[in-house]
Amino acid sequence: MLFYPKSDGIEEFPSPEELKMRIILSTKPPKEYHESKITTDKGSGLDNEDKNDRDRREHIHDEEDHDDDPTSNQSTAPEYKRLITIHAGKPKGGLHVALRVDPNKYRRLSLSEQELEKAAESHSMELVRFTQKNILRVYPKALRVLSSNYNPLIGWMHGAQMVAFNMQGHGSSLWLMHGKFRANGGCGYVKKPEFLLKEDENGHVFDPKAKLDVKTTLKVKVYMGDGWNLDFRKTHFDMCSPPDFYTTVGIAGVAADTTEKKTKTIGDNWTPVWNKEFTFPLTVPELALLRIEVGEYDPLDLDGFGGQTCLPVPELRTGVRSVPLCNIKGKEYKSVKLLVRFEFV
């Protein structure tokens, strides 16, 4: 069932409960869309090659732009506009204008990963304030032809609700996305922390670049690993000997919390025992993700891959845990696990 505002706008954005089993439209209203197309086509100042590249980039990444005939269906435009719950588009005047919050109107703004990085540098707190009321969508740059991905944490820590990814690609960025959405039972929706949803008692918004005090300290002790001899061929890592495993443990989050540490390498052993404890002071644990990756040391070539996982720090259960590892694509191995202890102090 389609949800749409009863008048020209909505005073308060509907709750997830109100939107359950419903669909909302978010796109450019017809008039604004056609004006933007005329402006970019006539006054861009780009040569043909640059213009073609821009058009291809917009076609791939921004579903807001559709190549409609501006003279067709004029009579249906007012009716169609009434069905759009969240109007989208980039106002003229640069980021400062685009991030301006209108108390009487909800909007959706789409930024490429490069635009987001620039905005995070120069308009960090304005981004956070914008996403408290409006929707921010981020998408990969067109040059990622191999379906690689960017760091999603930049969008998440500034409150972006839609951080689009190339799901065909693999690697650490996609593992972070998998880890983020393991929260809330893996249902696909994760609520933003309260400090990203509203101002504090002094009217200030969260500043991702601010130096904050340590809220909590996470201790991670990696005891041992097992299961590789069941999920891998005996010659998968080394032709003539058992593998040489080590584990990398790190935090992905705000800049002050992001770090990475490593155990020693245990040589020639399918069941390595490390008994190594790591300590991670966290200033913003609500945004932190715990990354664990097992590698196989190779002195003559690139190190081998022995499994990985990424877990949301706020949902870690304290105590000794058996942690399943996943392959490069994010699918759990049948047998490979680490024995780990989690503790908050």
Side-chain angles (χ1 to χ4, degrees):
M1 181 184 295
L2 183 65
F3 176 93
Y4 58 91
K6 302 298 182 183
S7 59
D8 290 340
I10 49 178
E11 294 182 1
E12 185 175 353
F13 195 78
S15 68
E17 185 66 29
E18 292 176 278
L19 292 177
K20 191 179 292 183
M21 309 299 291
R22 306 189 79 174
I23 298 170
I24 61 174
L25 295 182
S26 176
T27 187
K28 286 183 179 178
K31 180 180 178 182
E32 285 86 340
Y33 164 74
H34 295 310
E35 287 179 350
S36 68
K37 290 296 286 184
I38 293 171
T39 301
T40 54
D41 288 345
K42 289 185 176 181
S44 65
L46 299 173
D47 58 33
N48 289 335
E49 184 177 357
D50 288 342
K51 182 178 182 299
N52 290 339
D53 180 67
R54 183 205 67 215
D55 291 342
R56 182 168 60 252
R57 184 166 63 248
E58 290 180 350
H59 173 73
I60 293 173
H61 291 299
D62 199 347
E63 85 285 345
E64 295 165 4
D65 292 338
H66 305 286
D67 225 355
D68 299 329
D69 178 5
T71 61
S72 65
N73 298 325
Q74 290 294 328
S75 60
T76 63
E79 178 66 17
Y80 172 55
K81 182 177 181 179
R82 189 176 69 86
L83 299 178
I84 301 173
T85 301
I86 306 172
H87 290 192
K90 293 179 183 176
K92 299 176 182 178
L95 273 173
H96 181 71
V97 176
L99 295 174
R100 190 174 294 162
V101 176
D102 185 340
N104 301 312
K105 184 179 180 181
Y106 291 84
R107 293 191 293 118
R108 177 166 68 85
L109 177 66
S110 289
L111 299 176
S112 68
E113 60 174 286
Q114 304 105 309
E115 290 172 320
L116 176 67
E117 289 172 1
K118 292 178 181 177
E121 281 294 319
S122 58
H123 298 78
S124 181
M125 296 177 70
E126 287 92 333
L127 268 175
V128 174
R129 195 180 298 278
F130 178 86
T131 57
Q132 289 179 347
K133 180 179 176 65
N134 304 283
I135 291 180
L136 176 63
R137 168 179 169 266
V138 188
Y139 56 88
K141 61 185 178 183
L143 295 177
R144 294 188 180 275
V145 294
L146 297 179
S147 295
S148 61
N149 282 298
Y150 55 101
N151 180 6
L153 283 158
I154 301 174
W156 293 335
M157 70 178 65
H158 287 88
Q161 295 88 349
M162 303 167 68
V163 181
F165 253 44
N166 289 317
M167 299 304 292
Q168 315 94 310
H170 308 298
S172 57
S173 293
L174 194 60
W175 300 341
L176 292 176
M177 191 276 292
H178 290 160
K180 180 75 169 179
F181 290 96
R182 282 195 174 98
N184 197 21
C187 70
Y189 294 91
V190 177
K191 184 181 177 181
K192 293 195 292 186
E194 286 297 318
F195 58 78
L196 285 176
L197 291 171
K198 57 187 179 182
E199 301 172 343
D200 64 17
E201 60 274 10
N202 298 317
H204 301 146
V205 297
F206 173 68
D207 183 1
K209 296 188 293 185
K211 293 183 179 180
L212 303 173
D213 296 332
V214 173
K215 278 188 180 180
T216 187
T217 297
L218 171 64
K219 289 187 175 182
V220 180
K221 185 166 186 177
V222 183
Y223 290 106
M224 61 177 292
D226 196 11
W228 288 281
N229 59 323
L230 300 176
D231 290 347
F232 292 84
R233 303 186 317 272
K234 287 188 176 181
T235 57
H236 178 85
F237 297 104
D238 286 315
M239 291 296 294
C240 304
S241 64
D244 310 317
F245 286 128
Y246 62 89
T247 298
T248 302
V249 183
I251 294 292
V254 298
D257 295 344
T258 300
T259 186
E260 192 173 87
K261 302 176 182 181
K262 188 183 295 186
T263 68
K264 63 181 181 180
T265 299
I266 304 297
D268 297 334
N269 201 321
W270 284 101
T271 310
V273 177
W274 294 285
N275 281 329
K276 177 66 175 179
E277 185 173 79
F278 302 100
T279 301
F280 301 103
L282 301 174
T283 61
V284 191
E286 298 89 343
L287 295 175
L289 297 167
L290 175 67
R291 284 198 58 223
I292 303 175
E293 183 177 350
V294 174
E296 199 277 330
Y297 176 69
D298 189 337
L300 302 177
D301 201 353
L302 293 176
D303 288 356
F305 174 81
Q308 59 82 26
T309 191
C310 189
L311 305 169
V313 168
E315 298 206 0
L316 289 178
R317 297 173 62 192
T318 57
V320 178
R321 304 293 171 187
S322 176
V323 179
L325 296 187
C326 303
N327 63 17
I328 290 178
K329 295 182 180 180
K331 184 178 179 181
E332 279 190 14
Y333 291 118
K334 292 181 180 179
S335 307
V336 178
K337 294 177 174 62
L338 294 181
L339 189 64
V340 182
R341 186 188 71 202
F342 301 122
E343 180 184 2
F344 288 98
V345 295

